[in-house]
Amino acid sequence: MVQLFQILTGHEDQCERGHSQSSMRAAVESALSADPDLDCTEITVTMLGRYAVLEGFAHSAGDIVRAMMIAEDVVGQGNVQSRMLRR
């Protein structure tokens, strides 16, 4: 018996710069944690294709904007969706 696997094409279109979704998620998480002025302990990053989705809570509206800017530096401008709330 031969098992056939689906071959994914256009991977570069789905993940900008040719990275896998998990490595892109890890890169965004690392960039968020590296910012000393941003408390990212309650921010969750998920990838939806080439888009990074930020969910969770931030201390201020400025922190939400800062987190989005950091994520855009990694995945590209316009590829970040924020679902974060301010506490």
Side-chain angles (χ1 to χ4, degrees), residues 19-75:
H19 296 285
S20 69
Q21 288 185 353
S22 58
S23 65
M24 290 296 280
R25 180 180 52 81
V28 172
E29 289 173 344
S30 294
L32 290 173
S33 339
D35 189 320
D37 299 325
L38 180 67
D39 178 13
C40 62
T41 55
E42 296 186 82
I43 299 174
T44 303
V45 179
T46 54
M47 295 299 297
L48 207 64
R50 67 176 182 242
Y51 296 95
V53 180
L54 305 180
E55 298 177 295
F57 299 96
H59 294 288
S60 68
D63 284 348
I64 293 173
V65 171
R66 180 75 183 135
M68 289 184 64
M69 289 173 52
I70 291 169
E72 282 185 340
D73 285 345
V74 176
V75 297

